[in-house]
Amino acid sequence: MVVYSLGNIEKMEERFRAKFINSLSGFKSANLIGTQNKEKQTNLSIVSSVFHLGASPALLGFVSRPDSVERHTLENIRATSFFTVNHINQEIYEASHQTSARYERDISEFEACGLSDEYINNFFAPFVKESKLKMSCEFIREIPIEENGTVIVIAKIKSVHVSNDVISDDGHIDIEALGTVVVSGLDSYHVTDLLKRLPYAKP
Amino acid sequence: MVVYSLGNIEKMEERFRAKFINSLSGFKSANLIGTQNKEKQTNLSIVSSVFHLGASPALLGFVSRPDSVERHTLENIRATSFFTVNHINQEIYEASHQTSARYERDISEFEACGLSDEYINNFFAPFVKESKLKMSCEFIREIPIEENGTVIVIAKIKSVHVSNDVISDDGHIDIEALGTVVVSGLDSYHVTDLLKRLPYAKP
């Protein structure tokens, strides 16, 4: 085992360091965030930083870099308050990755990347039709991270769209059965194999 | 596909809802956080919420519930500023899950769960010897989430310990080769199978 000190890390070439550091937190969730601006221009962005924030109330968060390809997503969320979160499955991971390209504002990643927008129950933001677990979300607030200029977006989950077939009696959702993929680093996509579900741990 | 509205979600039985909502963000990272208090009492806690926050400077975050089994971890980080993050691999996922039991303060989860503490280069907090990718971290600050009483802990990565064999020429670390596991919901553990690494996307 080799030890990389902070000095070693700071001397790494920029793109090397980005890939190295992005691998450290472990595997990451793979979601598409769907938004629309007030002129009905849709936007779709792959995000590997969506995280569970709480079950009661149902909250999630994600990290956004304002200067990145996610900037249209963040602008739309600030302007309209609504977005969707859509699990990426193994049939659409390549199309989903393509949404990370720097498209111009007047181009919809849905069309450019071959994914279908879908509107459900009059919710303002577009869902991804090909996704098998999707949520509508409402913006609560953003937390600026002064250390690097990113923001953490916090939102409440308003609805969940999923087949009953994958929901266990105890509430657990078998997202492996949905083909939900997982990301490591900046660009590595994986499916999963269940080891085991473990019982509630007691001392 | 069934639509669960906010009303449906709020009516779910509490433990059912916890498992249901915990499944929604997608797969989660699986890490052990090692700490020590000023009296050298060690603590080890499984955390599925560690997320990448930035590569330059190298930052990560995680979500902690102050009233949960993670409270000793949070207290130790507040008191000493230092902790380690250790990837959970398939050889230790059952022992790692066991650290989520509510042990008393004077019991070390290292001993209780059969994992080995390890001290490297005089860093204050204990590493997990059995882990194949581990980091030393220094607390920067915590962000209170008033919506549910959790806190987001933000920290800088001070050192990274990993075998050179799994680091690609471009900086990507093959954490699948390390046997790093992934969590879904509250208690489901999975290994991964690489689909593909994808090239940088261009319009």
Side-chain angles (χ1 to χ4, degrees):
Chain A
M1 206 169 276
V2 178
V3 179
Y4 291 86
S5 67
L6 193 55
N8 299 141
I9 293 169
E10 284 171 347
K11 273 183 219 129
M12 288 174 177
E13 186 273 327
E14 189 184 340
R15 282 164 301 179
F16 185 98
R17 182 175 55 211
K19 288 182 178 162
F20 183 85
I21 301 294
N22 264 279
S23 305
L24 297 179
S25 60
F27 286 103
K28 300 188 276 192
S29 59
N31 287 290
L32 287 164
I33 295 191
T35 58
Q36 196 171 209
N37 68 13
K38 288 182 176 165
E39 288 72 44
K40 302 271 170 100
Q41 173 68 49
T42 59
N43 188 277
L44 190 64
S45 180
I46 187 168
V47 175
S48 64
S49 63
V50 174
F51 60 89
H52 171 78
L53 190 54
S56 182
L59 301 177
L60 56 75
F62 71 92
V63 183
S64 179
R65 286 187 298 149
D67 61 338
S68 77
V69 290
E70 299 142 33
R71 72 191 182 285
H72 298 152
T73 294
L74 189 58
E75 286 167 10
N76 290 349
I77 292 173
R78 285 170 173 161
T80 71
S81 284
F82 297 111
F83 62 100
T84 66
V85 173
N86 307 266
H87 277 211
I88 297 171
N89 58 56
Q90 56 188 307
E91 282 97 53
I92 58 169
Y93 79 96
E94 289 175 292
S96 299
H97 181 76
Q98 183 60 31
T99 66
S100 65
R102 288 187 172 269
Y103 291 104
E104 297 298 323
R105 186 187 306 268
D106 61 348
I107 292 188
S108 170
E109 289 83 3
F110 279 102
E111 240 179 90
C113 305
L115 293 160
S116 316
D117 56 343
E118 185 184 29
Y119 296 85
I120 304 176
N121 292 347
N122 291 316
F123 188 71
F124 183 75
F127 292 87
V128 177
K129 191 169 186 182
E130 292 84 356
S131 173
K132 293 168 189 168
L133 193 165
K134 36 204 168 193
M135 292 158 267
S136 63
C137 297
E138 185 175 356
F139 180 58
I140 297 178
R141 62 190 173 97
E142 59 186 275
I143 300 168
I145 306 298
E146 296 99 16
E147 286 79 1
N148 64 1
T150 60
V151 298
I152 296 178
V153 174
I154 291 182
K156 54 185 145 187
I157 298 169
K158 304 277 285 179
S159 68
V160 178
H161 308 232
V162 63
S163 165
N164 266 337
D165 299 347
V166 294
I167 305 178
S168 304
D169 290 344
D170 66 355
H172 179 77
I173 306 175
D174 184 356
I175 64 173
E176 180 169 296
L178 298 175
T180 296
V181 301
V182 65
V183 181
S184 71
L186 281 179
D187 53 23
S188 187
Y189 294 84
H190 311 248
V191 287
T192 62
D193 274 323
L194 179 66
L195 288 164
K196 210 189 273 184
R197 284 192 68 190
L198 295 178
Y200 185 80
K202 290 175 186 168
Chain B
M1 207 169 275
V2 178
V3 180
Y4 291 86
S5 68
L6 193 55
N8 299 142
I9 293 168
E10 286 170 347
K11 273 183 220 129
M12 288 173 177
E13 186 273 326
E14 190 184 338
R15 283 163 302 180
F16 185 99
R17 183 176 54 211
K19 289 183 178 163
F20 183 86
I21 301 295
N22 264 279
S23 305
L24 297 179
S25 60
F27 286 103
K28 301 189 275 194
S29 59
N31 287 290
L32 287 164
I33 296 192
T35 57
Q36 196 173 208
N37 69 14
K38 288 181 175 166
E39 288 72 44
K40 303 271 172 101
Q41 172 68 49
T42 59
N43 188 278
L44 190 63
S45 179
I46 185 167
V47 174
S48 64
S49 63
V50 174
F51 60 89
H52 171 79
L53 189 54
S56 182
L59 301 178
L60 55 76
F62 71 91
V63 183
S64 179
R65 287 185 299 150
D67 62 338
S68 77
V69 291
E70 299 142 33
R71 72 192 182 286
H72 298 152
T73 295
L74 189 59
E75 286 167 10
N76 289 350
I77 292 173
R78 284 171 173 159
T80 70
S81 284
F82 297 110
F83 61 100
T84 66
V85 173
N86 306 267
H87 277 211
I88 298 171
N89 59 55
Q90 56 188 307
E91 282 97 51
I92 57 168
Y93 79 97
E94 289 174 293
S96 300
H97 182 76
Q98 184 58 31
T99 67
S100 65
R102 287 184 173 271
Y103 291 104
E104 297 299 325
R105 187 187 306 267
D106 60 348
I107 294 189
S108 171
E109 290 82 4
F110 278 102
E111 241 179 88
C113 304
L115 293 160
S116 317
D117 57 342
E118 185 185 30
Y119 297 85
I120 305 175
N121 292 347
N122 290 317
F123 188 71
F124 182 75
F127 292 87
V128 177
K129 192 169 186 180
E130 293 83 357
S131 173
K132 295 169 188 164
L133 193 165
K134 37 204 169 195
M135 293 159 267
S136 64
C137 297
E138 185 175 356
F139 180 58
I140 296 178
R141 62 190 172 98
E142 58 185 278
I143 300 167
I145 306 298
E146 296 99 15
E147 287 79 1
N148 63 2
T150 60
V151 298
I152 296 178
V153 173
I154 292 182
K156 52 185 147 187
I157 298 168
K158 304 277 286 179
S159 68
V160 177
H161 307 232
V162 64
S163 164
N164 266 337
D165 298 347
V166 294
I167 305 177
S168 305
D169 291 343
D170 66 354
H172 179 77
I173 306 175
D174 185 357
I175 62 173
E176 180 169 296
L178 298 175
T180 296
V181 301
V182 64
V183 181
S184 71
L186 282 180
D187 54 22
S188 189
Y189 294 84
H190 311 249
V191 287
T192 61
D193 274 323
L194 179 66
L195 288 164
K196 209 189 274 183
R197 285 193 68 191
L198 295 179
Y200 186 80
K202 292 176 184 167

